[in-house]
Amino acid sequence: MTDVKFNDFDISDDIKIAIGDMGFDEPTSIQKLAIPEALEGKDIIGQAQTGTGKTVAFGVPLLEKIFIKDRSPQAIILCPTRELCIQVAGEIEKLAKHIKKLKILAVYGGQPIGRQIRALKKGVHIVIGTPGRVLDHIDRKTLDLAGIETVVLDEADEMLDMGFREDIEHILRFTPKKRQTLLFSATIPKPIKKITKHYQNNPKHLKISKQDMVVPQIEQYYFETKDKDKLDTLCRLLDIYDVKLGLIFSNTKKRVDYLVRSLKRKGYSVGGIHGDMSQNQRDKVMEKFRNEKINLLVATDVAARGIDVPDVEVVFNYDVPNNNDYYVHRIGRTGRAGKTGFAFTFAAGRERKILKSIQKHTKSKIKKQKIPSYKEIEKIKDNTILDEIRDSLNNDNLKKEMVLIDSLIEENYDSRQIAASLFRMVKS
Ligand code: AMP
């Protein structure tokens, strides 16, 4: 099982090449289990959450079935949030990079419906949408599901939690009976079982073990601090690690706003997202973060649900999350695709107890770490500057600058003094 390769799957070369382009060598556990079964046309209950590679697990078999010449919707993927729709569409686009003329459309609330209608009219093969907006299109007769062969219910438990059960059932009834239904969900509570019983045909239940759920290459640390000292601790860590892309979680919208304001005041490049912001505002911030126009994103759990931002170096739990799943979800945003990530949790007062319980339930190894002192930070900063100077001395052509320094030496300044003055300028 462990040495299964993507090449072992009965999939087209176009997709194999795309997977190579994406940098994946070996399929993840859910991919090893789900891809062969789904390629055979079987219905699947994939018990796997974000961070396990589930999108590729359903994306590959779904793409294999698309008949390009027929430009009507053949697959529909339902997702709980607009952010997840965008993310899933992005991943499927990448998988389909070498499949010519394939059209994918994401439809979700908040975006002008006219644009979506025009795109649907032109013809699309795969629709990715939130249940509400998909239903809206069905009602307007702008989306015809008569030709659907594959339905994916992504993060099904989240969709039910958000009250989409009726919408989903409604949509499923518009699709042909003879279809393949792939359901992915981190948990399988009773209402999900009901859906699978009603709408799936003898589904295969594939469960991913706990170890596969938590991304292993994450170094997890916690810091004991007082609530009023959390901001200072955060800044110290941001400076020491020189964080280029970091995600900071806080438990309330108010605290997200407070953190964004405080960090901005201290000169950090930061944005925030939470449920009180309009979709448009949230999208803009996400776009900036994805393009690394801002280094830090502060978010609540709900706003960040399902977001996939590659290359997040550090996840900060500014507040200890209120439940175990949130912890796993949060830290799963780092350490992606074989890279090592860091997760730093700040625990004040009674949060320490909650963290202990999280540690026990998620079987995580969260090590206690001392908050670095200013002296230690100083030392690290000094060494970083010295390294940069060494690098420049070894690699840069400094002729022009040396002429300028000569003019200072002619004024009788000592070269060590000049260098020390420059060092201070760089540091401040
Ligand atoms: P998902 O669970 O679909 O949200 O995927 C989580 C992350 O894993 C995404 O960033 C994917 O691009 C990445 N991923 C998917 N499949 C693989 C794989 N076989 N090897 C490494 N990373 C992967």
Side-chain angles (χ1 to χ4, degrees), residues 307-368:
I307 290 178
D308 178 34
V309 184
D311 293 329
V312 168
E313 301 156 273
V314 192
V315 169
F316 292 92
N317 292 312
Y318 192 81
D319 302 314
V320 172
N322 293 323
N323 73 46
N324 304 330
D325 288 349
Y326 278 162
Y327 182 83
V328 176
H329 255 111
R330 286 181 180 186
I331 71 162
R333 309 297 162 76
T334 183
R336 294 287 178 84
K339 293 187 193 101
T340 303
F342 290 92
F344 295 141
T345 302
F346 301 164
R350 61 172 204 96
E351 285 185 314
R352 290 173 204 170
K353 245 183 151 171
I354 306 172
L355 188 66
K356 275 226 170 84
S357 138
I358 290 175
Q359 183 152 1
K360 207 173 122 206
H361 280 93
T362 58
K363 296 199 172 63
S364 308
K365 280 207 177 68
I366 316 174
K367 289 178 249 165
K368 188 174 164 180

Side-chain angles (χ1 to χ4, degrees), residues 60 110 113 115-116 139 153 163 178 287 337 368 405 409 421:
V60 169
I113 199 158
R115 200 189 305 162
Q116 294 171 2
D139 288 344
L153 304 176
K178 212 176 136 282
E287 184 74 14
K368 188 174 164 180
I405 298 293
I409 289 176
S421 164

Side-chain angles (χ1 to χ4, degrees), residues 6 24 26-28 31 49-56 87 91 308 336-337:
F6 279 110
F24 306 154
E26 212 191 292
T28 64
Q31 291 161 6
Q49 61 187 55
T50 302
T52 53
K54 64 185 166 62
T55 316
V56 170
Q87 180 196 317
E91 192 102 339
D308 178 34
R336 294 287 178 84

Side-chain angles (χ1 to χ4, degrees), residues 255-350:
R255 278 166 80 84
V256 168
D257 284 337
Y258 156 79
L259 261 174
V260 172
R261 254 193 335 259
S262 311
L263 289 169
K264 267 191 189 156
R265 220 176 286 139
K266 285 175 182 287
Y268 294 97
S269 132
V270 54
I273 53 168
H274 59 60
D276 275 358
M277 294 162 63
S278 73
Q279 280 293 355
N280 193 21
Q281 282 173 313
R282 278 201 254 173
D283 280 354
K284 277 195 182 137
V285 177
M286 274 314 301
E287 184 74 14
K288 276 195 198 160
F289 191 54
R290 273 203 195 96
N291 298 333
E292 301 189 26
K293 295 222 166 75
I294 50 174
N295 302 124
L296 306 170
L297 180 70
V298 189
T300 53
D301 292 285
V302 177
R305 192 168 280 170
I307 290 178
D308 178 34
V309 184
D311 293 329
V312 168
E313 301 156 273
V314 192
V315 169
F316 292 92
N317 292 312
Y318 192 81
D319 302 314
V320 172
N322 293 323
N323 73 46
N324 304 330
D325 288 349
Y326 278 162
Y327 182 83
V328 176
H329 255 111
R330 286 181 180 186
I331 71 162
R333 309 297 162 76
T334 183
R336 294 287 178 84
K339 293 187 193 101
T340 303
F342 290 92
F344 295 141
T345 302
F346 301 164
R350 61 172 204 96

Side-chain angles (χ1 to χ4, degrees), residues 135-147:
L135 207 53
D136 199 352
H137 280 290
I138 294 174
D139 288 344
R140 288 166 187 255
K141 305 220 179 325
T142 46
L143 174 60
D144 180 13
L145 300 183

